[in-house]
Amino acid sequence: MNYMPGTASLIEDIDKKHLVLLRDGRTLIGFLRSIDQFANLVLHQTVERIHVGKKYGDIPRGIFIVRGENVVLLGEIDLEKECDTMLKQVSIEEILEEQRAQQQAKLEAEKAKLQALKERGLSVPRADVLDEY
Amino acid sequence: MSKSDQQEVECPLSHSEWPEDGGRWSEEEDGDEVEGCGLLQEMVEEDEEIDLYNEETFGLDLYTGVEDAEGDPTDLLIFCADKSPAPSSPHPCTPSSPSLPKPGPDPQIQPQAWLGMQARERGNKERLGGRGKMFDDPAVMRTVEGRPSLKSLDSAIVDSGTSSSWQDKDSDAWVLSSYGTQRCIAGSILQDKAIVGVIDRPAPGRILPTTLDFLSPLQRPFPAFRGAAPGKRSGQHEQLSTRPFGQRYLSQMQMNPMIPRSPVRPQQQYGQCGGLRSPSSCPRPPVSQAFTPKMMQLRFGAHSPTPAPFYSPSANPVQRFRFPGHVTQLHPQHRRLLSQRQQRAHRKTESWDPHSQLMSLKEKEWIIRLQMIQLQSENPHLDDYYYQEYYQRMEAKLAEELLGDRAKREPPKLTTPYVTKTDSYTPVVHIEGSLGQVAVSTCFSPRRAIDAVHAHCPEEEQKDTRQQRLAVLHNLEKLFMILLEVEEGERRRTTVFREGERSRLREKMQRRVELIYRQLQHPVALESGEEFLPCLLVSKGKRLLARLIPFLSHDAALYILSIVTSHLPVLMSRDTDEALPVLYPSLCTVIGRLSFSQLIGLLRNFTSTLPETKESQLSLACQNKFGISLLYALLSQGERLLSSEVPMEPSIGDFETWTETVFQVARQLSQCSLVEPLLLPSNLLSLFCRYLDKRTVHQLENSMERSATGCPAVPS
C-alpha cells in the first residue's frame, strides 16, 4: 500500500518508463527521473508518439521537463507487454504525413458541417461568445 | 562517456595535472595542510554554517551510499573542490553549461584543491575498495562551488550548491560549496578542510524513502539554529534560522554511521555540536532498531558497505536514522506495518539503467515531507476519524490474537453522548373537542401515526351532551363509510351483467343498509331517546339520512318521514345550519309513493297543536322553508291522488281529515306571511279551488305567489 499522499506517490514510479498524456494532446513516453511537489516531471529519453489510426510514429525528443498542471494522466508502461501491440510503427515522415492528412480531413468536415448548418439557418455559437452554459 | 572525455570538458586547464587514471589521483596527495591557515580556518567555519544550512534543506545527500565498482554515474550534485576563489574571477558555472571558462585559477590553490580531492578520492577508494570514476555522469559538465545566493538558499531548488551567478562579497569569504560540510566530517580521509566534499553516489540499491524517522511524529518545534560553531556569524544566520531542521540533520549527519569519519573527529563534532544535539535529541522512534550491518544491507542494498571498522554503529549512542522529517503523523500501528513491510521489501537496483537514481533519497523524502506536513493536525482523531479507528481496531485485533485473550471479544462500541430523557412524554394527546387523537411530535416520535379512535372511554361521559353529540358524530362517521360502500355497490350493480353477481351484490348492499338503519334508529351509545332523532338533529345525520332513504324500503322510508313530520318543530328549531332542506328531495320521492291513508296520517301530525306553546304545528311549519315545502308536497300528493283515477282505498274518516286539513291550511296560509318554499307545486291552486271560494283562492294565490317569487313552479 502506498501511503504517501499526493505527489509523493509518484516516487514509486521513478526510473520507470511512463506514458504521459499532455493537455495539448501530445503523448510522451519516457523514463520518469524526477518529480517535485507540483508533479512536474522530468522525463528522460523521451519520445513523442503520434498516433494516427492504427499507425504510430516516434519522434525522439530527449529530456523533457513537463509542468505538472499540463499533465492529463500518466501511467507506467509494462516493458514486457509493450511489444504486443496491434499498432504498427512507421517512420516519422509517414506519420507526420498521416497526421496532416487527418487534420485536413477534419478541417474539411468541419467546414462542410458549418456550411450545411448555415444553409439551414442554424449556427453553432462559438464557445467564447456563448453567454449561457 | 569515458572519464577522459569528462575530464577534458570539465577541467581543460588542469588536464595535465589530473591523471586520467583515478588510481593515480592519490599520488600527489596531501600537500599542504590548510588547517593551519587562518584564512582557511575562517572559511571552514563559514562552510560549516553553509553546510548546516544546506542540510536543513536536504539533509545529508552526500553519503547516501557508496558507489560500487560497477559505477553508477548519475550524480548531479557532485562537486569538485574547485576553489577558484572570488578574487580571481567569477566562475559562472553550472553543471550543465557546456563550455566553462576557467580563467587562470590560482595555480597554487588549484592543485591543492585537486590534490585534496585526490586525497579524498583515495581515501574513499581505500575504504570502499576501488572507487573509480568520479564524474561519470555525462550531465555533469563541471561542478563549481557557488556562493549561497538567494536562489541556492531556497529549498525549492534542488541543486542549490551551484549558483549561476558568482557574487563577490568579501574578499576573504571565498565561496565554498554548500555541500562542503563533509570536509569537516571526513577529516580522516581528507585532511584538507577547504576541500569541498565529494558527494558519493547513492547506494546501488534503489533508494526508496525507507525512513522510519519521518514516521515518528513531530514532537517539538525546532529552535532556530544557534550553532555552537564559534567565530563570526554572518548574515547567513538569519537564513539559517528559518530552517527548522538543521539541528536534526546535523545530528543525524553526525550520527550516521555511513559517513566515513576519523576516530578523532566524532568527538570533536560531538563536543562542538553538543549544544545542538541536546535540544534535538528527540525521543527515538519506537521502532528504531540497532543499526546492524545486516539491516543496513537491507536498507541500502546488497552492495552497501559495512561501516568503517573504526566506527561501529553499535558504539553510537544515538541511534538516529539520518532521514529527516518526522512530520508524518502516522498511527503507530500503521508505522509498524510499514516498517515491517519495508524490512521485507528488498529491491534490487536496475543495474541496466545507467541513469537511474537521479533523484536522491533526500529529494524524495523532501517531497514526502512536504506532502505529509499538510496532513498534520492537532486533533487527528477528529480530522481523520476513520483512519484512526481502523488502526485502533486493527491494533486491538492483533493484540487479542497475540494475547490469545478471547474474553474481550466484542468490538469497541461507538460511544455517543448519553442523552437523558427529561420527561416522559404523553404518546397520546387528546385535545378537548377534537375527534380522536392529535398528532404530537416529540424528538422520540417525530411523526407519530395517530389512530382514528377515541382516546377516551365512551361509557363514562354519557351525561355530557357534548360528549353525546360527539358519540353521535362518531357513529355517523362510521355509518357514512358503510353508506359509501352501499352507493358504490349500487353503482357497480348496474354495470354487472351477470345475474348471480348482481343479486349477491344486492343482498350485500341491503344488509348494509339495514345495518345503517338500525344504527340510526337506535344509536348504541345512547340509553334512550327517540329513534332517529339524535342523528336527525345533527346536520351530518340529516345528510346521511337523505342519502340513505333512496335505498330504504317504502315502509322504512315512511317511518322516517313520519318521524320527521312528528318532530318537525324540534327539528326546525334546532336546525341552526339549515340543513333540513337536504332531506327534502328524498322525502319528496317518498311522499310521491304515499297512499292516501298514509298521507292522512302524516297530515294529522301537521295539524296537531304543540302542548307547550299552543301554537299549531302548522303555523310553525309555515314559517320554515322546509316545513312549508313539506306541507305543500303533502298537499300536492293528496291532490294528485284525488284527481287521479287510481282507485284509492281510504280509511274511515280520511276524507274528513283531508278536508279539514285543507281548510286549516288555507286559513293558515292566508293569515300569516309565508316563506318561500323550496318547491311550489302547481296543483295546489286547483286543490284550493275545489274546496274554497274564489275569493279565498285568489287571496291564497296572491300570497303564495308573493312568497314564491324565486321558487320554481313544478307541475305536479
Side-chain angles (χ1 to χ4, degrees):
Chain A
M1 181 181 75
N2 188 348
Y3 69 95
M4 297 184 273
T7 322
S9 58
L10 279 178
I11 286 177
E12 286 190 349
D13 289 343
I14 283 189
D15 291 337
K16 295 183 184 161
K17 193 167 186 185
H18 277 73
L19 182 142
V20 182
L21 188 65
L22 303 180
R23 272 163 63 172
D24 62 355
R26 277 189 279 183
T27 308
L28 304 179
I29 295 177
F31 289 91
L32 184 64
R33 291 295 178 201
S34 184
I35 57 163
D36 70 353
Q37 71 266 34
F38 307 111
N40 296 334
L41 316 169
V42 171
L43 293 172
H44 183 227
Q45 293 169 354
T46 319
V47 142
E48 182 184 332
R49 186 164 287 187
I50 301 179
H51 289 272
V52 178
K54 289 247 191 252
K55 304 184 193 162
Y56 71 91
D58 286 347
I59 305 174
R61 296 287 194 191
I63 298 181
F64 255 92
I65 296 184
V66 183
R67 190 180 165 91
E69 64 169 339
N70 293 307
V71 173
V72 171
L73 54 87
L74 64 91
E76 189 188 334
I77 290 182
D78 190 337
L79 295 168
E80 291 149 26
K81 296 187 183 166
E82 202 184 2
C83 320
D84 342 319
T85 172
M86 303 293 191
L87 308 174
K88 175 168 163 296
Q89 178 161 23
V90 297
S91 69
I92 296 175
E93 294 81 15
E94 193 178 334
I95 199 67
L96 285 174
E97 186 54 47
E98 294 261 350
Q99 195 184 39
R100 212 187 336 250
Q102 188 191 49
Q103 302 287 28
Q104 191 74 21
K106 198 151 95 165
L107 220 60
E108 280 166 13
E110 194 65 33
K111 232 174 22 179
K113 188 173 90 171
L114 273 174
Q115 184 63 28
L117 283 173
K118 209 156 68 162
E119 283 168 10
R120 285 157 180 76
L122 306 164
S123 71
V124 180
R126 281 176 19 194
D128 51 348
V129 301
L130 194 57
D131 283 336
E132 46 197 46
Y133 305 132
Chain B
M1 281 178 125
S2 67
K3 195 170 28 143
S4 56
D5 292 341
Q6 292 171 341
Q7 287 170 352
E8 275 175 12
V9 172
E10 291 152 10
C11 319
L13 295 179
S14 59
H15 181 59
S16 55
E17 297 160 334
W18 193 262
E20 291 196 21
D21 180 13
R24 291 177 48 218
W25 285 355
S26 56
E27 284 171 4
E28 304 161 81
E29 187 264 324
D30 61 34
D32 314 315
E33 283 295 333
V34 294
E35 282 176 330
C37 177
L39 171 67
L40 288 175
Q41 184 71 27
E42 286 180 6
M43 295 172 184
V44 161
E45 286 164 1
E46 190 167 334
D47 274 334
E48 287 173 23
E49 296 169 28
I50 301 170
D51 296 335
L52 282 169
Y53 169 69
N54 281 300
E55 268 167 19
E56 294 163 4
T57 311
F58 290 108
L60 185 56
D61 213 355
L62 309 177
Y63 291 94
T64 56
V66 173
E67 171 182 22
D68 60 354
E70 299 164 8
D72 193 343
T74 55
D75 256 337
L76 264 187
L77 303 173
I78 295 178
F79 294 93
C80 68
D82 183 7
K83 285 187 334 191
S84 314
S88 59
S89 60
H91 284 256
C93 343
T94 61
S96 55
S97 67
S99 63
L100 298 172
K102 199 169 181 195
D106 194 348
Q108 208 157 15
I109 301 180
Q110 182 70 15
Q112 279 179 7
W114 289 124
L115 291 174
M117 181 64 78
Q118 293 161 22
R120 188 192 192 82
E121 280 301 296
R122 180 198 59 185
N124 283 346
K125 264 196 331 175
E126 279 172 0
R127 199 168 45 78
L128 309 171
R131 170 176 171 165
K133 314 154 268 202
M134 205 173 73
F135 300 107
D136 272 346
D137 189 357
V140 178
M141 308 304 291
R142 179 187 169 85
T143 61
V144 179
E145 308 141 10
R147 190 179 187 80
S149 62
L150 188 60
K151 204 159 65 163
S152 70
L153 293 175
D154 186 1
S155 69
I157 300 179
V158 169
D159 201 6
S160 60
T162 61
S163 65
S164 48
S165 64
W166 189 267
Q167 295 159 25
D168 268 305
K169 271 199 190 167
D170 294 316
S171 58
D172 55 1
W174 57 276
V175 182
L176 295 172
S177 157
S178 47
Y179 284 81
T181 314
Q182 279 57 33
R183 298 162 308 167
C184 314
I185 308 305
S188 66
I189 315 301
L190 231 41
Q191 302 306 314
D192 186 2
K193 272 204 257 185
I195 300 302
V196 179
V198 174
I199 301 172
D200 280 346
R201 255 194 60 261
R206 180 172 178 87
I207 296 178
L208 270 186
T210 56
T211 176
L212 299 177
D213 198 33
F214 71 82
L215 298 178
S216 62
L218 188 65
Q219 296 281 346
R220 65 186 75 211
F222 292 106
F225 167 64
R226 291 286 168 262
K232 55 186 198 290
R233 298 284 147 251
S234 62
Q236 289 153 354
H237 257 293
E238 287 74 31
Q239 290 147 337
L240 288 175
S241 64
T242 59
R243 297 294 161 198
F245 301 110
Q247 291 179 346
R248 289 177 55 82
Y249 291 1
L250 178 61
S251 59
Q252 288 162 7
M253 179 189 65
Q254 290 165 355
M255 307 316 158
N256 186 9
M258 297 299 297
I259 302 171
R261 298 177 189 203
S262 73
V264 182
R265 283 288 170 168
Q267 283 95 23
Q268 188 178 353
Q269 290 303 320
Y270 287 154
Q272 179 186 11
C273 306
L276 295 175
R277 208 166 18 103
S278 45
S280 71
S281 56
C282 305
R284 310 289 159 251
V287 291
S288 156
Q289 287 139 24
F291 221 89
T292 62
K294 183 168 188 276
M295 220 195 81
M296 272 168 34
Q297 277 202 358
L298 283 175
R299 288 170 68 75
F300 298 112
H303 300 288
S304 57
T306 57
F310 51 82
Y311 182 81
S312 71
S314 51
N316 187 359
V318 181
Q319 292 284 2
R320 282 211 76 97
F321 298 126
R322 28 179 291 269
F323 306 115
H326 47 231
V327 297
T328 65
Q329 282 178 312
L330 294 179
H331 195 270
Q333 181 60 29
H334 193 187
R335 217 175 295 140
R336 257 172 262 141
L337 277 173
L338 285 172
S339 65
Q340 285 168 15
R341 207 171 291 146
Q342 282 158 8
Q343 284 165 28
R344 283 194 292 266
H346 172 62
R347 312 253 326 230
K348 281 181 69 73
T349 181
E350 289 87 357
S351 52
W352 47 266
D353 192 355
H355 301 285
S356 60
Q357 319 304 329
L358 180 69
M359 223 177 149
S360 69
L361 187 55
K362 278 297 152 212
E363 292 156 10
K364 291 179 187 173
E365 282 164 7
W366 183 76
I367 292 180
I368 292 175
R369 205 185 333 131
L370 211 58
Q371 303 282 338
M372 289 292 204
I373 277 177
Q374 300 171 29
L375 301 179
Q376 280 186 342
S377 91
E378 300 207 350
N379 194 350
H381 200 74
L382 192 72
D383 292 336
D384 204 355
Y385 169 76
Y386 291 103
Y387 169 83
Q388 300 286 337
E389 193 63 31
Y390 174 73
Y391 277 102
Q392 266 175 28
R393 292 196 186 205
M394 190 192 293
E395 215 167 16
K397 205 175 358 161
L398 287 177
E400 186 195 318
E401 280 170 17
L402 276 170
L403 300 176
D405 179 15
R406 288 280 151 198
K408 59 173 221 137
R409 178 82 64 109
E410 83 257 23
K413 293 198 174 27
L414 181 68
T415 54
T416 50
Y418 178 63
V419 173
T420 55
K421 269 188 177 184
T422 51
D423 298 314
S424 63
Y425 69 104
T426 49
V428 169
V429 171
H430 182 77
I431 295 180
E432 294 304 307
S434 75
L435 205 67
Q437 299 172 352
V438 175
V440 171
S441 61
T442 61
C443 71
F444 292 102
S445 60
R447 293 165 82 182
R448 190 189 157 78
I450 53 175
D451 311 315
V453 292
H454 271 307
H456 62 282
C457 196
E459 277 79 36
E460 298 154 3
E461 292 141 2
Q462 297 288 324
K463 307 294 171 0
D464 193 3
T465 48
R466 263 185 50 222
Q467 295 301 328
Q468 229 175 19
R469 184 185 161 90
L470 282 179
V472 166
L473 282 171
H474 194 74
N475 253 352
L476 285 173
E477 285 294 333
K478 284 196 263 189
L479 294 174
F480 245 109
M481 296 300 295
I482 305 176
L483 178 68
L484 288 172
E485 223 183 289
V486 168
E487 286 180 350
E488 180 64 38
E490 282 301 312
R491 253 176 275 143
R492 265 195 297 139
R493 199 156 64 89
T494 58
T495 62
V496 168
F497 296 119
R498 269 186 300 158
E499 188 50 51
E501 212 169 304
R502 203 185 295 190
S503 55
R504 236 181 317 126
L505 215 53
R506 190 159 50 81
E507 282 164 23
K508 193 168 156 192
M509 292 308 123
Q510 199 58 42
R511 278 200 298 272
R512 298 276 194 283
V513 166
E514 280 163 18
L515 171 68
I516 301 176
Y517 186 80
R518 275 197 304 275
Q519 283 288 318
L520 286 174
Q521 192 176 24
H522 301 287
V524 179
L526 304 179
E527 305 161 341
S528 69
E530 303 285 342
E531 295 172 356
F532 293 108
L533 208 53
C535 70
L536 273 174
L537 288 174
V538 187
S539 51
K540 200 162 209 174
K542 293 179 192 129
R543 275 187 266 265
L544 178 61
L545 263 179
R547 283 164 76 166
L548 182 66
I549 284 172
F551 295 106
L552 290 173
S553 62
H554 182 67
D555 292 333
L558 176 64
Y559 187 64
I560 290 182
L561 184 56
S562 64
I563 296 277
V564 168
T565 49
S566 53
H567 293 99
L568 203 53
V570 180
L571 285 175
M572 288 190 300
S573 65
R574 284 176 64 169
D575 184 29
T576 45
D577 19 321
E578 296 194 17
L580 271 175
V582 305
L583 284 166
Y584 183 75
S586 27
L587 290 178
C588 252
T589 31
V590 178
I591 290 170
R593 293 201 294 265
L594 282 177
S595 70
F596 197 70
S597 325
Q598 293 163 342
L599 183 66
I600 297 299
L602 287 173
L603 278 173
R604 275 206 197 94
N605 285 334
F606 265 97
T607 54
S608 65
T609 46
L610 292 169
E612 297 93 21
T613 61
K614 292 217 186 108
E615 251 186 66
S616 78
Q617 196 158 326
L618 207 55
S619 57
L620 285 172
C622 291
Q623 305 305 314
N624 188 280
K625 195 179 231 186
F626 176 71
I628 205 167
S629 321
L630 206 59
L631 186 62
Y632 284 174
L634 286 168
L635 290 174
S636 161
Q637 172 67 6
E639 171 63 21
R640 210 178 312 124
L641 283 173
L642 284 171
S643 55
S644 73
E645 275 145 37
V646 176
M648 298 186 301
E649 291 135 11
S651 328
I652 299 171
D654 272 350
F655 280 116
E656 289 81 14
T657 322
W658 170 251
T659 326
E660 258 182 57
T661 314
V662 173
F663 278 127
Q664 254 188 322
V665 167
R667 213 178 313 132
Q668 188 66 43
L669 291 178
S670 53
Q671 280 172 7
C672 56
S673 61
L674 307 170
V675 294
E676 184 182 336
L678 290 164
L679 227 64
L680 187 62
S682 53
N683 61 350
L684 281 179
L685 282 173
S686 49
L687 166 68
F688 289 132
C689 280
R690 205 181 306 173
Y691 293 96
L692 301 168
D693 55 287
K694 227 176 189 178
R695 195 174 54 84
T696 326
V697 171
H698 271 296
Q699 267 182 337
L700 280 171
E701 190 181 348
N702 287 338
S703 61
M704 276 180 356
E705 273 170 11
R706 238 181 301 133
S707 73
T709 44
C711 164
V714 171
S716 56

